[in-house]
């Protein structure tokens, strides 16, 4: 530990701490431009100069490490002057076109000049210009699908280039030329093309890199920022919606180091068009004489409930079925299953419409190995070896992908095994391509190599010798040897793969959609558990097998009991379980199910056999679809109810690692649409049930009482602060 | 465009430096010697030979005015416009050259003979003002000397 004094205040910090970090602890602000705590420090901008006693020249606070007895001043006349000087230099060539600059109002240069700069300029010469097109005076250049560059405003902090290199692991943005001619650019005709490009617009301290979709639309101070959670994938990045009236103007990151570390993918940042889309459903629609036509809510509710009651009366509760969705909130899903279980009286509830191969539900009231992640997102970057299996990580989980790249940067080994090559393969020490559906044969080959070469950890694995022998017999049978040939992976590759695995100090395995929906999913997951055990990692923190769900609330939907055989919190159903989605389809074909209520899912687009689903669902007497857009499934529905988008409701999402995070409402539901939960309440009330909830908070409270894994969670402390709900 | 010998030499450079990026400059000197300029394809080739990204090579090369890009004239005139030369009239010499060659700084004459550049210090302050034409230094310049040099070069073509 080191003791030092900053501006007369004493502080004790760890060795190796920089002056900047120590000052931060004391609440003393030191202005910076090029510093970013996730990037390598370069000390280039000189904005953070401070005075250190006994050192004749000012020092950069971002890169100067503290030493015992150091006396630092951040407020001396010399420092004040230096800041003024640095800012004066930066303004020499800065165009000061703040009135038309999108960064205006949240520009670091603007703010620091306001706070520390001089009110006069001594510079009378012309300003430097980077002329892009001699005929245009704007010098704007599109350097990618989302990014506009205006070099005139650039202060050369290079945070954009460093982000692209260090965090995204790409090289499609670079620094050209030198001195006052330094230029941030792409290679000629090779636009910046990576799914993280939007981050540079947020990292840029000035208006040099701005977002194509946001520019010139509105001044930032006219918008209001609503903290919420990204709905695009299961990673659950924390975001801010910037809105005015009922329109989203942009989405930015709301840094949460446990989840996103302050970065978003371009899909999350720019993919919000659907909220303000002209095709949004605005009114309930009922099919009359083969045509969908608008109907008032009361008439539609009446029509739906009387149809449901008629069917229930004639052929019983089990002739109805409900399909929830991993895209809607926990509260909506909880109410949905409650509606079916207590109002309709059936367990025909599911949401797994994208696969025919369902994983077995947990036997105890915790998530089992088939139902979630064992590790946290943060642990991924700490693992010494990461195996990505059956997953295009960059596409499926872009933010988890960044953690893998981070681990690589820290020296971890990355192994990738997929049926086709993915972009992550560039970082892989070993990238194997197996033939589709040969995962088990490939894994048996890996286990066999470990056992036969006696490279397993006998003590730590906890396997008895007879268990090892059983496993050996299984993976060394002539059948599995023959099967190994079909995987397309040679013995040498298996050897080097195993070599990396047995050497690693910790192993995290990430499985994607390809594994979850695999016909042999259970067998694959069990093999992976054997692998973790054989290598002696089963009880370690930074090791484990992780299934990565697809949708923003896939985990929550499982947790909330949108399953035919489990109540919320995986409480086992006492009687006969209901039908899963595959069986529901069979039952429809047998005439046993007559009505289906689909909330937020689109089986026609998601189910592996589209024609089968289409013809099957077409046989229903009542197909009620509740969604925000006319989905493929909605097109064949009898009744469509307009739901609210994620921006229009409150609620919670449980992300891929089981973290419960709160969504906040940015504005009211569009036109006559309603939040999913509210619609369910209307239906239940029309059928004579109480369903009185004022807000999603009431529903969440009930959920925490009913579901053992959510018990003890407090709505008020979810999501908004650093302290967020996390269920183990 | 690179000969097999040059390619071999460049890929040998890969192992000569602890940091692979350090090989970019010697590799580009070889390119300059053999081709006389660089273009996109050459940068790509060099990057491939050194096991670096095209971006890394392009960034480094752009840092130096010394490496001419494809399209540069037969004679690349680089006039130093740094402090010493500037104090001794480099500015006037640049505009004189612009007038004489009927091109602006950064341009090439229509016949492709001359390209005019204004560059930073070439390390010849003692003989300022000065300029470099391809690999040759011309020092203690004045208008008359420039007339002579340009005429000589035109004669040689």
């Amino acid at each position: 530990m080191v003791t030092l004094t900053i501006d007369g205040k004493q502080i004790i910090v760890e060795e190796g701490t920089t002056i900047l970090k120590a000052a931060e602890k004391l609440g003393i602000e030191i202005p910076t431009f090029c510093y970013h705590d996730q990037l390598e420090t370069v000390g280039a901008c000189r904005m953070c100069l401070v005075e250190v006693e006994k050192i004749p020249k000012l020092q950069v606070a971002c890169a100067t490490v503290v030493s015992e007895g150091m006396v630092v001043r951040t407020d001396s006349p010399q420092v004040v002057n230096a800041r003024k000087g640095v800012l004066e230099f930066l303004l020499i060539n800065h165009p000061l076109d703040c009135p038309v600059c999108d960064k205006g109002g949240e520009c670091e240069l603007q703010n620091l000049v306001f706070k520390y700069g001089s009110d006069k300029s001594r510079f009378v010469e012309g300003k430097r210009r980077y002329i892009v097109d001699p005929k245009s005076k704007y010098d704007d250049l599109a350097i990618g699908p989302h990014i506009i560059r205006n070099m005139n405003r650039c202060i050369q902090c290079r945070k954009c280039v460093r982000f692209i290199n260090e965090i995204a692991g790409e090289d499609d943005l670079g620094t050209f030329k030198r001195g006052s001619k330094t230029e941030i650019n792409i290679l000629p005709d090779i636009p910046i093309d990576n799914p993280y490009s939007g981050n540079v617009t947020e990292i840029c301290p000035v208006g040099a890199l701005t977002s194509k979709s946001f520019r010139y639309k509105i001044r930032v101070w006219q918008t209001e920022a609503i903290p919420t959670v990204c709905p695009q994938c299961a990673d659950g990045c924390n975001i801010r919606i910037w809105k005015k009236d009922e329109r989203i103007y942009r989405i930015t990151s709301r840094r949460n180091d446990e989840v996103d570390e302050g970065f978003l993918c371009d899909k999350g940042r720019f993919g919000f068009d659907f909220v303000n889309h002209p095709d949004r459903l605005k009114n309930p629609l009922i099919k009359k004489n083969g045509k969908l036509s608008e109907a008032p809510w009361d008439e539609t509710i009446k029509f739906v409930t009387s149809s449901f009651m008629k069917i229930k009366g004639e052929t019983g509760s089990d002739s109805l079925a409900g399909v929830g969705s991993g895209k809607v909130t926990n509260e909506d899903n909880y109410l949905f299953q409650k509606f079916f279980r207590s109002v309709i009286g059936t367990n025909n509830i599911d949401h797994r419409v994208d696969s025919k191969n369902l994983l077995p539900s947990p036997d105890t009231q915790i998530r089992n190995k088939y139902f979630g992640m064992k590790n946290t997102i943060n642990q991924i970057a700490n693992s010494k070896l990461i195996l990505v299996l059956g997953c295009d990580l960059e596409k499926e989980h872009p933010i988890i992908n960044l953690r893998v790249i981070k681990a690589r940067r820290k020296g971890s080994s990355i192994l990738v095994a997929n049926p086709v090559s993915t972009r992550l393969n560039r970082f892989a020490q070993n990238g194997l391509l197996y033939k589709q559906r040969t995962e088990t044969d490939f894994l048996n080959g890996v286990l066999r190599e470990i056992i036969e070469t006696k490279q397993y950890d006998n003590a730590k694995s906890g396997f008895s010798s007879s268990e090892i022998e059983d496993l050996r017999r299984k993976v060394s049978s002539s059948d599995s040897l023959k099967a190994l040939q079909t995987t397309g992976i040679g013995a040498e590759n298996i050897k080097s793969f195993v070599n990396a695995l047995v050497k690693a100090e910790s192993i995290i395995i990430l499985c994607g959609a390809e594994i979850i929906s695999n016909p042999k999913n259970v067998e694959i997951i069990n093999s992976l558990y054997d692998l973790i055990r054989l290598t002696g990692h089963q009880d370690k923190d930074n090791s484990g097998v992780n299934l990565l769900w697809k949708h923003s609330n896939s985990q929550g939907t499982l947790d909330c009991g949108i399953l035919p055989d489990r109540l919320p919190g995986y409480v086992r159903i006492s009687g006969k379980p209901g039908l899963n989605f595959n069986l529901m389809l069979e039952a429809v074909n047998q005439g046993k199910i007559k009505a289906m209520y689909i909330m937020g899912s689109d089986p026609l687009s998601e189910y592996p056999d589209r024609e089968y689903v289409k013809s099957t669902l077409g046989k229903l007497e009542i197909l009620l679809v509740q969604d925000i857009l006319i989905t493929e499934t909605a097109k064949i529905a009898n009744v469509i109810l307009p739901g609210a988008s994620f921006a229009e409701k409150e609620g919670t999402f449980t992300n891929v690692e089981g973290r419960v995070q709160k969504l906040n409402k940015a504005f009211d539901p569009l036109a006559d649409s309603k939040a999913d939960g509210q619609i369910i309440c209307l239906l239940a009330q029309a059928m004579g049930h109480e369903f009185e909830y004022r807000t999603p908070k009431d529903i969440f409270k009930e959920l925490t009482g009913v579901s053992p894994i959510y018990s003890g969670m407090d709505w008020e402390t979810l999501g908004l602060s650093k302290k967020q709900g996390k269920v183990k | 465009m690179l000969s097999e010998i040059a390619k071999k030499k460049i890929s040998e450079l890969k192992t000569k430096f602890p940091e692979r990026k350090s090989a970019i400059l010697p590799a580009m000197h070889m390119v300059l010697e053999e081709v006389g300029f660089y273009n996109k394809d050459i940068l790509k080739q060099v990057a491939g030979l050194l096991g670096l990204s095209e971006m890394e090579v392009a960034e480094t090369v752009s840092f130096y005015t010394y490496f001419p890009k494809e399209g540069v004239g037969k004679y690349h005139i680089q006039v130093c416009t740094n402090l010493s030369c500037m104090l001794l009239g480099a500015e006037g010499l640049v505009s004189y050259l612009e007038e004489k060659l009927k091109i602006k700084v950064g341009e090439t004459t229509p016949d492709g003979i001359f390209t005019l550049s204004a560059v930073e210090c070439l390390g010849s302050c003692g003989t300022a003002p000065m300029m470099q034409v391809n690999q040759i230094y011309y020092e203690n310049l004045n208008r008359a000397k420039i007339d002579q040099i340009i005429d000589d070069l035109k004669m040689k073509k």
Side-chain angles (χ1 to χ4, degrees):
Chain A
M1 297 307 259
V2 179
T3 311
L4 74 155
T5 313
I6 306 177
D7 293 349
K9 290 180 206 159
Q10 214 176 51
I11 186 171
I12 301 168
V13 292
E14 264 174 56
E15 236 165 275
T17 309
T18 60
I19 296 177
L20 186 72
K21 282 274 170 201
E24 204 179 274
K25 278 195 182 146
L26 279 171
I28 296 169
E29 188 202 59
I30 297 177
T32 61
F33 282 116
C34 70
Y35 176 78
H36 190 291
D37 67 351
Q38 302 273 350
L39 302 173
E40 300 271 334
T41 304
V42 291
C45 73
R46 319 311 282 179
M47 192 61 219
C48 66
L49 288 172
V50 292
E51 199 178 319
V52 181
E53 238 171 53
K54 292 185 191 125
I55 302 181
K57 280 184 175 179
L58 298 182
Q59 300 295 305
V60 281
C62 67
T64 309
V65 172
V66 297
S67 57
E68 188 57 42
M70 199 180 232
V71 179
V72 179
R73 291 232 72 100
T74 75
D75 55 359
S76 69
Q78 216 190 338
V79 173
V80 170
N81 240 337
R83 286 176 185 166
K84 243 183 212 166
V86 168
L87 289 166
E88 190 177 12
F89 271 125
L90 287 176
L91 290 186
I92 281 177
N93 276 315
H94 191 81
L96 290 169
D97 56 349
C98 311
V100 293
C101 176
D102 272 315
K103 204 75 176 191
E106 56 176 20
C107 169
E108 285 168 46
L109 182 61
Q110 212 175 43
N111 292 344
L112 293 187
V113 170
F114 177 77
K115 215 165 171 180
Y116 304 108
S118 161
D119 53 358
K120 281 194 227 46
S121 169
R122 293 178 288 176
F123 193 72
V124 290
E125 287 85 351
K127 303 240 172 196
R128 167 197 61 193
R129 254 187 77 188
Y130 293 83
I131 298 169
V132 170
D133 174 5
K135 277 178 251 151
S136 158
K137 58 180 179 208
Y138 298 110
D139 303 328
D140 286 344
L141 177 70
I143 56 168
H146 304 295
I147 316 292
I148 303 285
R149 185 202 75 167
N150 185 314
M151 251 335 271
N152 298 337
R153 296 175 185 151
C154 178
I155 58 165
Q156 281 89 19
C157 71
R158 289 185 67 249
K159 273 196 282 197
C160 51
V161 176
R162 286 148 59 208
F163 163 79
I164 293 286
N165 288 167
E166 294 173 26
I167 308 286
E170 305 276 348
D171 52 19
D172 41 13
L173 198 59
T175 319
F176 293 86
K177 301 189 187 164
R178 62 171 150 168
S180 68
K181 295 192 179 84
T182 304
E183 190 173 351
I184 305 298
N185 212 346
I186 48 176
L187 286 174
D189 307 321
I190 307 178
I192 178 167
D193 173 34
N194 70 68
Y196 308 105
S197 71
N199 289 301
V200 300
T201 65
E202 205 172 319
I203 284 174
C204 182
V206 292
L209 298 172
T210 52
S211 134
K212 213 178 212 172
S213 72
F214 179 64
R215 65 201 305 258
Y216 301 152
K217 294 272 167 32
I218 197 166
R219 304 303 321 206
V220 288
W221 55 84
Q222 291 175 318
T223 59
E224 190 189 342
I226 310 295
T228 189
V229 178
C230 180
Q232 299 286 2
C233 82
D235 296 357
C237 297
N238 292 197
I239 59 167
R240 284 194 180 87
I241 288 178
W242 297 75
K243 64 106 183 183
K244 183 171 190 286
D245 300 329
E246 256 122 63
R247 188 174 158 194
I248 299 184
Y249 282 86
R250 64 169 175 173
I251 283 174
T252 61
S253 162
R254 175 168 60 94
R255 182 169 171 175
N256 179 342
D257 283 347
E258 305 282 318
V259 184
D260 49 56
E261 297 193 312
F263 305 117
L264 298 179
C265 71
D266 287 353
K267 200 173 166 195
R269 185 181 298 273
F270 300 118
F272 55 81
D273 309 10
F274 67 93
V275 174
N276 296 113
H277 203 279
D279 293 349
R280 274 282 300 275
L281 288 163
K282 297 178 189 75
N283 296 289
L285 300 166
I286 302 182
K287 196 172 258 176
K288 285 174 190 155
N289 308 322
K291 248 188 76 186
L292 284 166
S293 49
E294 283 184 13
W297 270 103
D298 50 355
E299 186 193 320
T300 316
I301 296 286
K302 217 165 164 186
F303 173 74
V304 171
T305 50
S306 62
S307 310
F308 280 3
M309 283 197 282
K310 186 174 149 265
I311 292 169
K312 187 181 164 179
E314 283 171 8
T315 46
S317 304
D318 287 337
S319 18
L320 291 106
V323 177
S325 164
K327 288 176 269 186
V328 303
T329 63
N330 286 321
E331 293 69 23
D332 296 341
N333 273 317
Y334 171 77
L335 279 193
F336 189 74
Q337 63 85 34
K338 185 173 172 181
F339 174 77
F340 270 89
R341 292 194 160 114
S342 70
V343 178
I344 304 282
T346 179
N347 279 313
N348 292 339
I349 304 163
D350 205 351
H351 68 286
R352 297 163 295 179
V353 298
D354 57 354
S355 170
K356 290 183 185 178
N357 313 299
L358 306 180
L359 288 158
S361 300
D363 284 328
T364 45
Q365 289 166 11
I366 47 166
R367 298 180 189 126
N368 66 1
K369 59 181 168 182
Y370 310 115
F371 273 70
M373 269 178 88
K374 193 241 164 192
N375 301 101
T376 64
I377 291 179
N378 252 349
Q379 282 174 347
I380 296 171
N382 298 331
S383 182
K384 294 285 177 237
L385 184 141
I386 298 157
L387 165 57
V388 179
L389 183 71
C391 183
D392 187 345
L393 201 59
E394 187 186 276
K395 275 211 186 90
E396 293 177 36
H397 299 276
I399 292 301
I400 289 182
N401 190 55
L402 286 187
R403 288 300 210 293
V404 175
I405 295 173
K406 186 177 182 179
R408 177 82 193 94
R409 206 164 61 242
K410 283 161 76 176
S412 306
S413 306
I414 313 296
L415 304 183
V416 182
N418 268 321
V420 289
S421 185
T422 67
R423 272 167 56 92
L424 187 62
N425 286 51
R426 291 169 304 157
F427 300 105
Q429 175 194 336
N430 217 326
L432 297 185
L433 300 182
Y434 55 77
K435 297 225 168 67
Q436 203 160 19
R437 301 283 178 261
T438 62
E439 293 88 353
T440 48
D441 306 319
F442 158 58
L443 289 174
N444 281 343
V446 170
L447 294 177
R448 180 179 162 273
E449 177 70 23
I450 296 176
I451 294 172
E452 296 291 344
T453 55
K454 299 228 165 11
Q455 294 195 74
Y456 54 88
D457 193 318
N458 214 349
K460 283 197 208 132
S461 75
F463 276 122
S464 65
S465 49
S466 68
E467 276 175 306
I468 293 265
E469 185 49 32
D470 285 348
L471 194 58
R472 195 192 66 80
R473 219 172 293 136
K474 189 185 123 203
V475 298
S476 300
S477 71
S478 58
D479 281 352
S480 56
L481 282 174
K482 218 183 285 164
L484 189 54
Q485 313 266 314
T486 65
T487 61
I489 297 175
E492 271 317 299
N493 277 331
I494 297 265
K495 261 195 176 48
S496 66
F497 206 78
V498 165
N499 209 6
L501 284 169
V502 295
K503 271 200 316 219
E505 286 165 40
S506 47
I507 299 176
I508 277 185
I509 302 176
L510 304 174
C511 304
E514 183 81 22
I515 302 302
I516 293 171
S517 62
N518 200 290
K520 290 185 179 166
N521 45 18
V522 172
E523 210 179 313
I524 295 170
I525 294 163
N526 289 339
S527 293
L528 292 172
Y529 270 83
D530 287 340
L531 175 64
I532 290 282
R533 267 186 84 179
L534 276 177
T535 46
H537 294 302
Q538 75 271 32
D539 296 322
K540 286 193 192 164
D541 259 0
N542 298 326
S543 296
V545 181
N546 298 279
L547 302 192
L548 306 181
W549 302 121
K550 196 168 170 186
H551 298 305
S552 52
N553 196 31
S554 290
Q555 184 67 62
T557 309
L558 293 164
D559 293 347
C560 287
I562 305 293
L563 294 165
D565 54 354
R566 294 292 183 274
L567 300 173
Y570 306 110
V571 176
R572 200 182 261 278
I573 279 165
S574 48
K576 198 170 110 299
L579 303 177
N580 64 39
F581 186 67
N582 295 316
L583 296 174
M584 282 180 201
L585 293 177
E586 277 178 36
V588 174
N589 279 320
Q590 292 159 359
K592 286 181 190 155
I593 285 180
K594 296 189 165 30
M596 199 181 276
Y597 176 4
I598 300 180
M599 173 180 74
S601 274
D602 184 11
L604 254 66
S605 307
E606 296 175 59
Y607 197 71
D609 188 348
R610 182 192 166 101
E611 284 313 308
Y612 171 65
V613 185
K614 193 174 175 184
S615 69
T616 305
L617 296 184
K619 291 175 192 161
L620 287 163
E621 265 174 48
I622 295 287
L623 174 58
L624 167 60
V625 172
Q626 183 171 311
D627 217 309
I628 63 168
L629 292 161
I630 288 267
T631 59
E632 289 302 303
T633 311
K635 282 179 189 161
I636 62 163
N638 314 81
V639 186
I640 303 176
L641 297 176
S645 75
F646 82 104
E648 298 156 351
K649 61 185 176 191
E650 242 186 334
T652 58
F653 277 167
T654 306
N655 83 346
V656 66
E657 59 171 353
R659 182 180 302 275
V660 182
Q661 304 187 103
K662 195 155 135 236
L663 273 80
N664 288 295
K665 186 170 153 179
F667 37 77
D668 285 332
L670 178 77
D672 224 2
S673 66
K674 290 182 196 300
D676 293 302
Q678 203 188 341
I679 300 174
I680 300 166
C681 287
L682 286 176
L683 291 170
Q685 283 157 7
M687 292 172 84
H689 285 255
E690 206 174 316
F691 275 66
E692 289 290 348
Y693 303 94
R694 272 175 301 119
T695 60
K697 184 183 164 183
D698 298 345
I699 308 168
F700 186 76
K701 213 171 155 198
E702 185 174 311
L703 173 64
T704 56
V706 172
S707 160
I709 53 173
Y710 282 33
S711 73
M713 281 188 197
D714 175 27
W715 178 266
E716 304 302 334
T717 58
L718 282 178
L720 289 180
S721 64
K722 266 197 162 171
K723 215 171 117 197
Q724 313 210 16
K726 167 87 174 82
V727 283
K728 262 282 168 202
Chain B
M1 261 200 251
L2 286 172
S3 68
E4 288 308 313
I5 300 168
K7 278 189 206 166
K8 197 168 162 268
K9 273 193 191 162
I10 290 174
S11 47
E12 277 167 7
L13 286 171
K14 208 164 34 174
T15 52
K16 291 208 172 142
F17 303 91
E19 178 76 44
R20 207 178 277 182
K21 269 188 180 178
S22 313
I24 297 174
L25 287 184
M28 286 309 294
H29 279 287
M30 287 181 194
V31 170
L32 194 58
E33 219 168 277
E34 190 168 303
V35 191
F37 59 83
Y38 73 87
N39 60 22
K40 221 169 107 182
D41 293 333
I42 290 177
L43 293 186
K44 210 178 208 166
Q45 234 178 353
V46 171
L49 291 167
L50 296 177
L52 295 166
S53 78
E54 210 183 323
M55 182 60 89
E56 286 170 306
V57 177
E59 282 180 312
T60 309
V61 169
S62 78
F63 189 89
Y64 300 95
T65 46
Y66 181 74
F67 299 115
K69 213 174 176 171
E70 186 170 20
V72 71
K74 187 173 174 193
Y75 299 110
H76 185 197
I77 304 172
Q78 304 182 58
V79 188
C80 170
T81 53
N82 212 302
L83 191 59
S84 309
C85 290
M86 211 60 160
L87 286 171
L88 289 163
E91 208 166 12
L93 294 182
V94 170
S95 50
Y96 182 65
L97 275 163
E98 283 184 333
E99 223 171 275
K100 194 171 170 64
L101 299 169
K102 295 188 183 68
I103 52 170
K104 287 255 177 319
V105 167
E107 291 176 351
T108 303
T109 53
D111 57 5
I113 304 294
F114 296 107
T115 297
L116 180 62
S117 302
V119 300
E120 301 305 329
C121 187
L122 294 171
S124 193
C125 306
T127 57
M130 61 80 66
M131 67 183 191
Q132 179 182 0
V133 180
N134 294 353
Q135 311 299 323
I136 300 161
Y137 273 19
Y138 294 91
E139 299 161 307
N140 296 315
L141 294 175
N142 53 38
R143 292 191 175 205
K145 264 194 176 172
I146 284 181
D147 286 340
Q148 185 63 48
I149 295 162
I150 299 292
D151 286 348
D152 285 354
L153 291 174
K154 271 185 181 161
M155 295 279 281
K156 275 203 268 178
K157 279 224 167 155

